[in-house]
mmCIF file of all heavy atoms in Angstrom:
data_model
loop_
_atom_site.group_PDB
_atom_site.id
_atom_site.type_symbol
_atom_site.label_atom_id
_atom_site.label_comp_id
_atom_site.label_asym_id
_atom_site.label_seq_id
_atom_site.Cartn_x
_atom_site.Cartn_y
_atom_site.Cartn_z
ATOM 1 N N ARG A 209 24.568 -16.231 22.251
ATOM 2 C CA ARG A 209 25.839 -16.339 21.545
ATOM 3 C C ARG A 209 25.727 -17.306 20.340
ATOM 4 O O ARG A 209 26.265 -17.051 19.261
ATOM 5 C CB ARG A 209 26.933 -16.806 22.497
ATOM 6 C CG ARG A 209 28.293 -16.733 21.818
ATOM 7 C CD ARG A 209 29.310 -17.522 22.548
ATOM 8 N NE ARG A 209 29.680 -16.819 23.770
ATOM 9 C CZ ARG A 209 30.856 -16.962 24.354
ATOM 10 N NH1 ARG A 209 31.748 -17.773 23.848
ATOM 11 N NH2 ARG A 209 31.132 -16.311 25.456
ATOM 12 N N ASP A 210 25.003 -18.394 20.542
ATOM 13 C CA ASP A 210 24.802 -19.352 19.441
ATOM 14 C C ASP A 210 24.043 -18.703 18.289
ATOM 15 O O ASP A 210 24.307 -18.953 17.116
ATOM 16 C CB ASP A 210 24.024 -20.577 19.921
ATOM 17 C CG ASP A 210 24.873 -21.437 20.845
ATOM 18 O OD1 ASP A 210 26.105 -21.307 20.796
ATOM 19 O OD2 ASP A 210 24.292 -22.221 21.612
ATOM 20 N N TRP A 211 23.071 -17.886 18.663
ATOM 21 C CA TRP A 211 22.295 -17.167 17.645
ATOM 22 C C TRP A 211 23.230 -16.308 16.789
ATOM 23 O O TRP A 211 23.202 -16.369 15.564
ATOM 24 C CB TRP A 211 21.212 -16.317 18.324
ATOM 25 C CG TRP A 211 20.740 -15.139 17.522
ATOM 26 C CD1 TRP A 211 21.021 -13.823 17.760
ATOM 27 C CD2 TRP A 211 19.926 -15.173 16.347
ATOM 28 N NE1 TRP A 211 20.435 -13.036 16.810
ATOM 29 C CE2 TRP A 211 19.759 -13.830 15.924
ATOM 30 C CE3 TRP A 211 19.325 -16.185 15.606
ATOM 31 C CZ2 TRP A 211 19.014 -13.480 14.802
ATOM 32 C CZ3 TRP A 211 18.589 -15.847 14.482
ATOM 33 C CH2 TRP A 211 18.434 -14.511 14.086
ATOM 34 N N VAL A 212 24.073 -15.530 17.454
ATOM 35 C CA VAL A 212 24.976 -14.623 16.731
ATOM 36 C C VAL A 212 25.978 -15.430 15.897
ATOM 37 O O VAL A 212 26.208 -15.141 14.724
ATOM 38 C CB VAL A 212 25.706 -13.685 17.725
ATOM 39 C CG1 VAL A 212 26.796 -12.874 17.024
ATOM 40 C CG2 VAL A 212 24.704 -12.741 18.401
ATOM 41 N N GLU A 213 26.523 -16.491 16.512
ATOM 42 C CA GLU A 213 27.580 -17.237 15.816
ATOM 43 C C GLU A 213 27.066 -18.051 14.640
ATOM 44 O O GLU A 213 27.810 -18.330 13.694
ATOM 45 C CB GLU A 213 28.322 -18.150 16.806
ATOM 46 C CG GLU A 213 29.239 -17.330 17.689
ATOM 47 C CD GLU A 213 29.971 -18.152 18.733
ATOM 48 O OE1 GLU A 213 29.756 -19.378 18.804
ATOM 49 O OE2 GLU A 213 30.746 -17.542 19.482
ATOM 50 N N SER A 214 25.785 -18.431 14.687
ATOM 51 C CA SER A 214 25.263 -19.264 13.589
ATOM 52 C C SER A 214 24.691 -18.430 12.447
ATOM 53 O O SER A 214 24.324 -18.962 11.396
ATOM 54 C CB SER A 214 24.199 -20.229 14.120
ATOM 55 O OG SER A 214 23.073 -19.505 14.582
ATOM 56 N N SER A 215 24.643 -17.110 12.632
ATOM 57 C CA SER A 215 24.016 -16.266 11.614
ATOM 58 C C SER A 215 24.800 -16.168 10.283
ATOM 59 O O SER A 215 24.176 -16.211 9.211
ATOM 60 C CB SER A 215 23.775 -14.877 12.205
ATOM 61 O OG SER A 215 23.478 -13.972 11.197
ATOM 62 N N PRO A 216 26.142 -16.058 10.308
ATOM 63 C CA PRO A 216 26.841 -15.927 9.020
ATOM 64 C C PRO A 216 26.574 -17.092 8.061
ATOM 65 O O PRO A 216 26.451 -16.880 6.848
ATOM 66 C CB PRO A 216 28.326 -15.872 9.429
ATOM 67 C CG PRO A 216 28.307 -15.334 10.824
ATOM 68 C CD PRO A 216 27.059 -15.880 11.450
ATOM 69 N N ALA A 217 26.434 -18.309 8.592
ATOM 70 C CA ALA A 217 26.174 -19.462 7.716
ATOM 71 C C ALA A 217 24.794 -19.328 7.059
ATOM 72 O O ALA A 217 24.620 -19.663 5.877
ATOM 73 C CB ALA A 217 26.257 -20.753 8.527
ATOM 74 N N ASP A 218 23.818 -18.803 7.815
ATOM 75 C CA ASP A 218 22.471 -18.613 7.246
ATOM 76 C C ASP A 218 22.507 -17.566 6.135
ATOM 77 O O ASP A 218 21.857 -17.706 5.098
ATOM 78 C CB ASP A 218 21.481 -18.145 8.333
ATOM 79 C CG ASP A 218 21.314 -19.172 9.438
ATOM 80 O OD1 ASP A 218 21.686 -20.346 9.213
ATOM 81 O OD2 ASP A 218 20.832 -18.793 10.519
ATOM 82 N N LEU A 219 23.281 -16.530 6.380
ATOM 83 C CA LEU A 219 23.390 -15.463 5.372
ATOM 84 C C LEU A 219 23.987 -15.990 4.076
ATOM 85 O O LEU A 219 23.506 -15.690 2.978
ATOM 86 C CB LEU A 219 24.300 -14.344 5.897
ATOM 87 C CG LEU A 219 23.645 -13.146 6.532
ATOM 88 C CD1 LEU A 219 24.704 -12.136 6.935
ATOM 89 C CD2 LEU A 219 22.659 -12.479 5.565
ATOM 90 N N LEU A 220 25.032 -16.782 4.235
ATOM 91 C CA LEU A 220 25.711 -17.359 3.077
ATOM 92 C C LEU A 220 24.742 -18.223 2.267
ATOM 93 O O LEU A 220 24.646 -18.123 1.045
ATOM 94 C CB LEU A 220 26.871 -18.216 3.600
ATOM 95 C CG LEU A 220 27.954 -18.594 2.632
ATOM 96 C CD1 LEU A 220 28.772 -17.357 2.290
ATOM 97 C CD2 LEU A 220 28.885 -19.648 3.278
ATOM 98 N N GLU A 221 23.988 -19.057 3.017
ATOM 99 C CA GLU A 221 23.040 -19.967 2.367
ATOM 100 C C GLU A 221 21.949 -19.167 1.644
ATOM 101 O O GLU A 221 21.588 -19.495 0.509
ATOM 102 C CB GLU A 221 22.414 -20.829 3.466
ATOM 103 C CG GLU A 221 21.963 -22.177 3.010
ATOM 104 C CD GLU A 221 21.470 -23.007 4.199
ATOM 105 O OE1 GLU A 221 22.183 -23.095 5.227
ATOM 106 O OE2 GLU A 221 20.362 -23.557 4.095
ATOM 107 N N ALA A 222 21.447 -18.119 2.296
ATOM 108 C CA ALA A 222 20.368 -17.325 1.698
ATOM 109 C C ALA A 222 20.884 -16.550 0.483
ATOM 110 O O ALA A 222 20.208 -16.471 -0.547
ATOM 111 C CB ALA A 222 19.793 -16.369 2.731
ATOM 112 N N ARG A 223 22.079 -15.993 0.602
ATOM 113 C CA ARG A 223 22.649 -15.237 -0.525
ATOM 114 C C ARG A 223 22.792 -16.151 -1.743
ATOM 115 O O ARG A 223 22.419 -15.800 -2.855
ATOM 116 C CB ARG A 223 24.010 -14.672 -0.129
ATOM 117 C CG ARG A 223 24.564 -13.681 -1.132
ATOM 118 C CD ARG A 223 26.005 -13.306 -0.798
ATOM 119 N NE ARG A 223 26.193 -12.973 0.602
ATOM 120 C CZ ARG A 223 27.193 -13.443 1.369
ATOM 121 N NH1 ARG A 223 28.109 -14.263 0.865
ATOM 122 N NH2 ARG A 223 27.292 -13.083 2.626
ATOM 123 N N SER A 224 23.281 -17.363 -1.503
ATOM 124 C CA SER A 224 23.458 -18.314 -2.595
ATOM 125 C C SER A 224 22.092 -18.698 -3.191
ATOM 126 O O SER A 224 21.938 -18.785 -4.412
ATOM 127 C CB SER A 224 24.225 -19.524 -2.070
ATOM 128 O OG SER A 224 24.010 -20.628 -2.872
ATOM 129 N N ALA A 225 21.090 -18.904 -2.334
ATOM 130 C CA ALA A 225 19.749 -19.264 -2.827
ATOM 131 C C ALA A 225 19.175 -18.151 -3.697
ATOM 132 O O ALA A 225 18.565 -18.402 -4.743
ATOM 133 C CB ALA A 225 18.818 -19.539 -1.646
ATOM 134 N N VAL A 226 19.392 -16.898 -3.278
ATOM 135 C CA VAL A 226 18.883 -15.760 -4.055
ATOM 136 C C VAL A 226 19.611 -15.695 -5.395
ATOM 137 O O VAL A 226 18.990 -15.540 -6.455
ATOM 138 C CB VAL A 226 19.048 -14.435 -3.267
ATOM 139 C CG1 VAL A 226 18.799 -13.220 -4.149
ATOM 140 C CG2 VAL A 226 18.113 -14.420 -2.062
ATOM 141 N N GLU A 227 20.919 -15.863 -5.360
ATOM 142 C CA GLU A 227 21.688 -15.787 -6.610
ATOM 143 C C GLU A 227 21.263 -16.882 -7.585
ATOM 144 O O GLU A 227 21.234 -16.671 -8.787
ATOM 145 C CB GLU A 227 23.190 -15.867 -6.301
ATOM 146 C CG GLU A 227 23.708 -14.515 -5.825
ATOM 147 C CD GLU A 227 25.043 -14.581 -5.071
ATOM 148 O OE1 GLU A 227 25.608 -15.689 -4.920
ATOM 149 O OE2 GLU A 227 25.503 -13.523 -4.627
ATOM 150 N N ARG A 228 20.905 -18.052 -7.041
ATOM 151 C CA ARG A 228 20.486 -19.165 -7.914
ATOM 152 C C ARG A 228 18.977 -19.148 -8.158
ATOM 153 O O ARG A 228 18.443 -20.014 -8.841
ATOM 154 C CB ARG A 228 20.882 -20.497 -7.263
ATOM 155 C CG ARG A 228 22.380 -20.744 -7.259
ATOM 156 C CD ARG A 228 22.723 -22.068 -6.585
ATOM 157 N NE ARG A 228 22.524 -22.000 -5.137
ATOM 158 C CZ ARG A 228 21.660 -22.736 -4.440
ATOM 159 N NH1 ARG A 228 20.889 -23.622 -5.046
ATOM 160 N NH2 ARG A 228 21.551 -22.605 -3.136
#
Side-chain angles (χ1 to χ4, degrees):
R209 188 196 286 207
D210 289 340
W211 156 253
V212 172
E213 285 178 359
S214 65
S215 166
D218 298 343
L219 263 182
L220 197 71
E221 208 175 311
R223 190 188 313 133
S224 158
V226 168
E227 280 161 1
R228 290 179 288 118

